[in-house]
């Protein structure tokens, strides 16, 4: 059955796919006050901490009630002020507190849920009384429960416990929420906010979980437990699909799974081409929870760790201790493998609180990444210190983003020396490390021969390089059609960088999305790139592709590609010259990868 | 330990405001206080417990109090329940 025909009689919502694929399952609505609605199991070891968290929230809630009373004092009647006293009395009520604590202990559930349960029980008790006056008091208890739960949520959340796999539906999803979710039970994400470069999008793509954003009125259209389908190919969300529609997608999903099985086979392949050339595949990671993927997909290292995710994770700028704790886990995960730590890439679309007061006309051309960090030198030094302290096995590679001028790398190297000196004075041993830059701004690509003399390695960020070369904001739907990394200008720039790095005898890798898209990947091989860093689950696909290619002679195509005039021409050229590979790729991947 | 029966005189019984006032008194007391209405006994320091008794004007309640200052506190409580406001 033709799906387009089916969709004529099936209502659906249009959205924007931020992580491809097809998914169907039950909707799990993640309200911002979700903590109340669903119990989250805590382990025996966590009980004490959870009770501590509750007492702290209780104190904060009391303070808040006192403050509210104080602020209103002169303006309202005694009657109303009494309500605050009563609320305060409830927050101090030994029975109320005792019951909540007992509930946490006895049922092993989070404090929010326990608060809600106990408050509900009291509401019911009071509602049973005859006097209408007492019945009204149930509202006071409700209000208090909300205050308490708000205070609890300010103290950080407990893990959300999904009882069965589901598609998460929410206005937006913060990184801390994302981290707290059990990834293996998430079938997909549906949100109203969060674009292609949002944290959600990056993590969803990394974990290969379909995600659809920009869906309006999610709360009106979707209820908890509804059957929903995410169709990332057509950018649509289907709520309560009709039987035929569901059947269509079940088939689609089945095909998808078969392809996935084939990929598992390819995971065992060596990263070697048909003519025996080894290609280097490393992993792009953003959160600690992804570390096991390095081994699962046989990556030869971490080619890009996006440290700025740590900021969102802790919702402020973490100090040296916190950072050291975090980086140590990454650098020590597998001491044999190189780990490329990119300094905070904040600004642009990734803001932190400290920057919020400063709104820019053109954030992507503004105070971002290394520019921001060099103006906040202590911030940079703290991060570098944490890198060096965590580098106990000498597998650290430091990567600086958004470099555009030579004096930047010179200053950064000076800063590194200062930090090293400081640490050595404190008795910290400095182990082996390497310094590299991201080439993602055309100016840096053009003079990459000069940079190559200053650094140990170069990493090409193709998303930004494309955006800056073509002057196209990919987030702007009016021009996003112009965004294409196979534009001849972009390929030529990458070629320049690759040649310059080879000339200086330093390694060069591509860590942008191009590495994970079959045709673009082949284009990069033609340009001369032999080292890639990409979302781990795509490594098997790329290994299968190279197993069909003769890499030694692939460079010869450059003589033709370099004279092509558009990305469409490049695409056609590649499809024609690599027909067999392309057909093979189509047989085991979904269209969205191409 | 003292057991004493009182009739609640305040206009709306022990609704939110008087109950809050009552808590302010009982929470000062270093010892145990319970309030009993029709055989249901609650902690005299728990506002929710007291509210849940639904004590109305002219209801009879039994106060049980045990602690060092029980004598003086039972007097204060007697004044409190006798107030008609």
């Amino acid at each position: 059955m033709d799906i387009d025909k089916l969709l004529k009689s099936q209502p659906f919502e249009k959205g924007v796919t931020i992580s491809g694929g097809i998914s169907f399952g039950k909707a799990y609505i993640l309200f911002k006050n979700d903590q109340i609605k669903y119990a989250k199991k805590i382990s025996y070891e966590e009980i004490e901490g959870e009770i501590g968290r509750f007492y702290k929230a209780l104190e904060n809630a009391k303070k808040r009630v006192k403050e509210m009373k104080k602020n209103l004092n002169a303006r309202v009647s005694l009657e109303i002020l009494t309500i605050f006293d009563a609320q305060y009395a409830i927050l101090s009520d030994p029975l109320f507190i005792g019951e909540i604590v007992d509930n946490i202990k006895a049922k092993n559930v989070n404090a929010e849920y326990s608060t809600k349960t106990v408050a509900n029980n009291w509401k019911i008790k009071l509602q049973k009384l005859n006097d209408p006056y007492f019945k009204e008091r149930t509202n006071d208890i409700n209000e208090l429960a909300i205050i308490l739960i708000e205070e609890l949520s300010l103290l950080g959340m407990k893990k959300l416990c999904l009882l069965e796999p589901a598609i998460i539906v929410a206005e937006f999803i913060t990184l801390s929420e994302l981290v707290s979710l059990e990834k293996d039970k998430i079938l997909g994400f549906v949100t109203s906010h969060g674009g292609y470069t949002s944290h959600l999008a990056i993590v969803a793509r990394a974990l290969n979980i379909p995600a659809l954003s920009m869906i309006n009125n999610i709360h009106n259209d979707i209820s908890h437990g509804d059957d929903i389908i995410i169709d990332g190919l057509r950018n649509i969300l289907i709520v309560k699909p009709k039987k035929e529609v569901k059947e269509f997608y079940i088939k689609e999903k089945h095909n998808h799974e078969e392809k996935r099985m084939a990929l598992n086979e390819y995971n065992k392949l060596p990263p070697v081409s048909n003519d025996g050339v080894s290609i280097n595949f490393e992993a792009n990671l953003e959160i600690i929870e992804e570390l096991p993927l390095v081994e699962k997909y046989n990556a030869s290292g971490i080619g890009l760790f996006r440290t700025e995710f740590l900021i969102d994770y802790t919702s402020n700028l973490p100090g040296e201790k916190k950072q050291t704790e975090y980086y140590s886990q990454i650098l020590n995960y597998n001491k044999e493998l190189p780990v490329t730590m990119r300094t905070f890439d904040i600004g642009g679309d990734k803001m932190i609180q400290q920057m919020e007061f400063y709104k820019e006309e053109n954030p992507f051309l503004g105070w971002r990444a290394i520019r921001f960090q060099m103006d906040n030198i202590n911030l940079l030094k703290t991060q570098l210190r944490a890198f060096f302290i965590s580098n106990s096995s000498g597998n650290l590679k430091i990567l600086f983003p958004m470099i555009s001028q030579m004096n930047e790398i010179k200053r950064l190297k000076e800063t590194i020396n200062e930090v090293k000196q400081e640490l050595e004075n404190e008795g910290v041993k400095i182990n082996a490390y390497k310094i590299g830059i991201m080439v993602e701004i055309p100016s840096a690509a053009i003079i990459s021969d000069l940079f190559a003399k200053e650094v140990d390695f170069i990493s090409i960020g193709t998303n930004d390089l494309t955006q800056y070369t073509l002057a196209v904001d990919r987030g702007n739907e009016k021009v996003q059609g112009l965004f294409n990394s196979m534009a001849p200008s972009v390929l030529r720039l990458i070629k320049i960088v690759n040649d310059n790095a080879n000339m200086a005898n330093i390694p060069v890798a591509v860590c942008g999305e191009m590495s994970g898209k079959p045709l673009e990947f082949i284009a990069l091989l033609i340009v001369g790139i032999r080292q890639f860093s990409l979302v781990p689950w795509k490594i098997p696909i790329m290994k299968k592709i190279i197993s069909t290619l003769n890499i030694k002679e692939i460079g010869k195509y450059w003589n033709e590609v370099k004279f092509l005039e558009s990305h469409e021409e490049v695409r056609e050229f590649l499809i024609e010259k690599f027909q067999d590979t392309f057909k093979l790729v189509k047989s085991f991947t979904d269209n969205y990868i191409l | 330990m003292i057991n004493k029966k009182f009739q609640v005189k305040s206009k709306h019984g022990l609704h939110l405001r008087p109950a809050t006032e009552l808590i302010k008194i009982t929470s000062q007391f270093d010892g145990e206080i319970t309030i009993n209405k029709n055989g249901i006994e609650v902690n005299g320091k728990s506002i929710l417990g007291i509210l849940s008794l639904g004590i109305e004007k002219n209801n009879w309640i039994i106060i049980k109090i045990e602690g060092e200052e029980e004598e003086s506190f039972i007097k204060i409580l007697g004044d409190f329940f006798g107030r008609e406001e």
Side-chain angles (χ1 to χ4, degrees):
Chain A
M1 188 63 140
D2 182 9
I3 185 64
D4 294 324
K5 221 165 161 188
L6 284 175
L7 287 175
K8 285 206 175 107
S9 59
Q10 166 77 55
F12 60 85
E13 292 279 325
K14 204 108 184 85
V16 174
T17 300
I18 54 174
S19 175
I22 284 174
S23 176
F24 59 87
K26 298 251 180 276
Y28 186 107
I29 313 260
L30 191 75
F31 286 110
K32 287 301 138 182
N33 57 359
D34 182 66
Q35 307 294 318
I36 322 167
K37 288 198 99 173
Y38 307 104
K40 292 173 197 179
K41 284 276 172 205
I42 55 175
S43 68
Y44 182 76
E45 290 75 29
E46 288 175 311
I47 289 178
E48 202 180 316
E50 189 65 0
I51 291 172
R53 196 168 72 96
F54 169 69
Y55 277 115
K56 202 156 173 225
L58 193 64
E59 285 316 305
N60 293 345
K62 280 189 191 170
K63 262 185 228 155
R64 194 158 133 192
V65 170
K66 245 187 197 167
E67 282 291 305
M68 288 195 288
K69 183 183 169 188
K70 212 172 96 191
N71 292 340
L72 284 175
N73 226 341
R75 285 177 284 159
V76 296
S77 69
L78 198 65
E79 196 71 34
I80 290 174
L81 289 179
T82 312
I83 292 175
F84 291 108
D85 285 343
Q87 289 190 332
Y88 194 87
I90 296 174
L91 289 173
S92 317
D93 190 326
L95 211 57
F96 185 61
I97 298 167
E99 281 176 5
I100 295 172
V101 171
D102 286 347
N103 199 287
I104 296 172
K105 278 193 215 164
K107 305 234 167 86
N108 291 10
V109 289
N110 59 321
E112 287 90 343
Y113 189 73
S114 297
T115 302
K116 180 72 181 178
T117 309
V118 170
N120 257 344
N121 290 345
W122 278 105
K123 254 169 67 182
I124 293 166
K125 237 185 229 179
L126 295 185
Q127 260 159 359
K128 279 188 188 148
L129 298 169
N130 290 326
D131 190 329
Y133 183 83
F134 286 108
K135 281 184 184 167
E136 244 175 64
R137 298 282 64 82
T138 58
N139 291 333
D140 290 314
I141 295 174
N142 242 356
E143 211 169 282
L144 269 187
I146 291 168
I147 290 178
L148 255 176
I149 287 159
E150 273 177 15
E151 290 297 339
L152 278 165
S153 69
L154 290 177
L155 293 173
M157 294 191 302
K158 277 285 120 197
K159 280 198 170 175
L160 187 67
C161 176
L162 292 179
L163 296 174
E164 51 184 276
I167 295 175
I168 305 290
V169 178
E171 296 278 331
F172 61 94
I173 294 171
T174 65
L175 190 66
S176 52
E177 282 169 328
L178 201 55
V179 169
S180 79
L181 291 163
E182 297 162 274
K183 289 353 147 261
D184 53 334
K185 286 201 179 134
I186 301 176
L187 302 174
F189 292 104
V190 174
T191 62
S192 0
H193 305 287
Y196 196 82
T197 51
S198 66
H199 284 144
L200 170 67
I202 293 172
V203 173
R205 286 198 295 274
L207 300 173
N208 196 18
I209 299 173
L212 203 55
S213 183
M214 306 300 161
I215 297 284
N216 298 320
N217 303 323
I218 48 170
H219 294 319
N220 295 340
D221 300 335
I222 313 170
S223 308
H224 195 68
D226 274 355
D227 264 337
I228 57 176
I229 296 174
I230 296 174
D231 179 348
L233 291 177
R234 298 172 186 84
N235 291 304
I236 56 173
L237 171 77
I238 298 165
V239 183
K240 294 186 203 149
K242 293 186 173 162
K243 195 165 153 274
E244 311 85 68
V245 174
K246 198 170 177 179
E247 273 163 9
F248 170 84
Y249 280 105
I250 287 173
K251 235 178 260 162
E252 193 107 318
K253 177 93 187 164
H254 183 72
N255 292 341
H256 180 86
E257 236 117 72
E258 268 184 359
K259 288 172 178 171
R260 187 51 52 79
M261 294 298 281
L263 283 186
N264 286 342
E265 279 302 304
Y266 303 154
N267 198 20
K268 296 171 197 146
L269 291 172
V272 179
S273 71
N274 188 39
D275 56 347
V277 178
S278 280
I279 302 293
N280 196 355
F281 293 106
E282 297 189 326
N284 287 353
L285 303 182
E286 28 286 313
I287 49 177
I288 284 185
E289 283 78 1
E290 293 174 309
L291 283 170
L293 299 177
V294 174
E295 270 153 22
K296 183 174 175 195
Y297 293 106
N298 302 312
S300 55
I302 297 172
L304 171 62
F305 200 103
R306 300 178 163 105
T307 59
E308 63 275 8
F309 278 66
L310 174 63
I311 298 174
D312 207 30
Y313 185 62
T314 53
S315 44
N316 55 33
L317 270 182
E320 180 180 314
K321 199 165 158 252
K322 182 94 201 164
Q323 287 190 46
T324 306
E325 208 177 282
Y326 190 78
Y327 303 150
S328 296
Q329 290 183 60
I330 303 161
L331 285 158
N332 291 324
Y333 183 73
N334 184 337
K335 296 178 179 177
E336 307 293 312
L337 299 182
V339 176
T340 313
M341 302 290 283
R342 188 176 70 184
T343 59
F344 296 139
D345 188 1
I346 41 188
D349 51 352
K350 300 185 196 76
M351 302 297 277
I352 57 170
Q353 262 173 357
Q354 279 86 336
M355 298 168 84
E356 253 165 29
F357 63 92
Y358 184 76
K359 295 266 185 269
E360 295 177 295
E361 291 248 331
N362 284 312
F364 282 103
L365 302 182
W367 201 37
R368 197 193 143 179
I370 210 67
R371 302 170 178 179
F372 172 77
Q373 272 199 308
M374 284 202 295
D375 288 345
N376 292 275
I377 199 74
N378 286 335
L379 205 113
L380 177 64
K381 280 187 168 177
T382 303
Q383 186 168 32
L384 292 171
R385 281 177 63 96
F387 281 165
F388 283 122
I389 297 169
S390 313
N391 183 31
S392 56
S393 38
N395 54 348
L396 168 68
K397 294 168 79 176
I398 303 171
L399 180 59
F400 294 112
M402 277 293 282
I403 299 286
S404 60
Q405 317 197 17
M406 281 298 287
N407 62 8
E408 289 165 340
I409 189 64
K410 290 196 168 150
R411 267 186 63 200
L412 287 166
K413 285 169 82 177
E414 275 166 31
T415 308
I416 285 183
N417 285 334
E418 285 166 31
V419 167
K420 271 165 58 185
Q421 194 58 55
E422 270 172 40
L423 285 168
E424 270 165 349
N425 292 344
E426 294 166 29
V428 177
K429 186 168 172 276
I430 304 292
N431 288 313
Y433 68 94
K434 292 194 165 67
I435 302 174
I437 56 162
M438 291 281 291
V439 171
E440 51 192 337
I441 299 178
S443 66
I446 293 163
I447 55 166
S448 48
D449 55 326
L450 302 179
F451 280 110
K453 289 182 191 137
E454 291 289 333
V455 297
D456 304 312
F457 68 97
I458 284 176
S459 204
I460 305 175
T462 51
N463 300 347
D464 274 336
L465 187 61
T466 305
Q467 147 161 306
Y468 290 129
T469 303
L470 301 176
V472 171
D473 176 0
R474 188 167 50 161
N476 179 342
E477 60 178 49
K478 294 252 190 279
V479 294
Q480 66 187 184
L482 298 172
F483 184 98
N484 197 303
S485 294
M486 284 203 287
S489 53
V490 178
L491 293 179
R492 284 196 196 192
L493 268 183
I494 297 172
K495 174 79 174 156
I496 291 172
V497 180
N498 183 68
D499 292 351
N500 282 333
N502 287 346
M503 203 97 82
N505 216 6
I506 60 165
V508 55
V510 165
C511 65
E513 263 171 63
M514 281 184 89
S515 308
K517 297 197 164 175
L519 283 179
E520 300 182 9
F521 172 72
I522 294 174
L524 290 172
L525 287 168
I526 292 173
V527 163
I529 301 289
R530 298 291 179 265
Q531 196 175 327
F532 302 87
S533 191
L534 61 164
V535 290
W537 67 270
K538 284 187 178 173
I539 293 176
I541 301 177
M542 301 305 140
K543 284 201 296 195
K544 182 64 186 171
I545 291 172
I546 56 162
S547 75
T548 68
L549 299 175
N550 292 326
I551 301 285
K552 278 179 197 154
E553 50 190 53
I554 203 166
K556 70 179 182 201
Y557 292 110
W558 179 247
N559 291 326
E560 292 173 71
V561 172
K562 74 175 169 191
F563 294 116
L564 297 176
E565 294 182 355
S566 67
H567 66 83
E568 288 93 346
E569 281 184 25
V570 176
R571 191 181 162 86
E572 276 163 32
F573 176 87
L574 294 176
I575 290 177
E576 191 205 314
K577 296 286 180 205
F578 297 89
Q579 269 177 35
D580 295 342
T581 304
F582 190 65
K583 246 185 243 158
L584 174 79
V585 171
K586 271 186 117 170
S587 74
F588 65 77
T589 60
D590 297 298
N591 280 334
Y592 68 87
I593 297 181
L594 303 169
Chain B
M1 190 183 70
I2 305 174
N3 260 311
K4 201 163 177 188
K5 213 170 172 180
F6 295 99
Q7 192 175 27
V8 177
K9 287 290 176 193
S10 71
K11 200 160 59 184
H12 295 293
L14 275 190
H15 65 71
L16 196 66
R17 189 139 66 91
T20 308
E21 292 298 314
L22 177 59
I23 296 299
K24 280 185 187 159
I25 300 169
T26 57
S27 59
Q28 304 287 315
F29 180 67
D30 197 8
E32 273 190 38
I33 304 180
T34 64
I35 302 177
N36 186 320
K37 184 190 138 188
N38 296 338
I40 299 169
E41 192 177 74
V42 299
N43 183 339
K45 294 176 181 181
S46 162
I47 186 159
L48 290 173
I50 294 168
L51 287 175
S52 70
L53 289 178
I55 300 165
E56 291 163 26
K57 186 179 160 90
N58 291 331
N59 281 172
W60 284 91
I61 54 171
I62 302 165
I63 301 288
K64 194 160 80 185
I65 182 165
E66 184 165 16
E68 246 176 57
E69 294 173 285
E70 54 187 41
E71 296 280 351
S72 56
F73 265 86
I74 200 81
K75 251 191 91 192
I76 298 170
L77 290 173
D79 290 345
F80 177 82
F81 293 123
R83 262 190 271 159
E84 289 199 1
E85 176 269 341

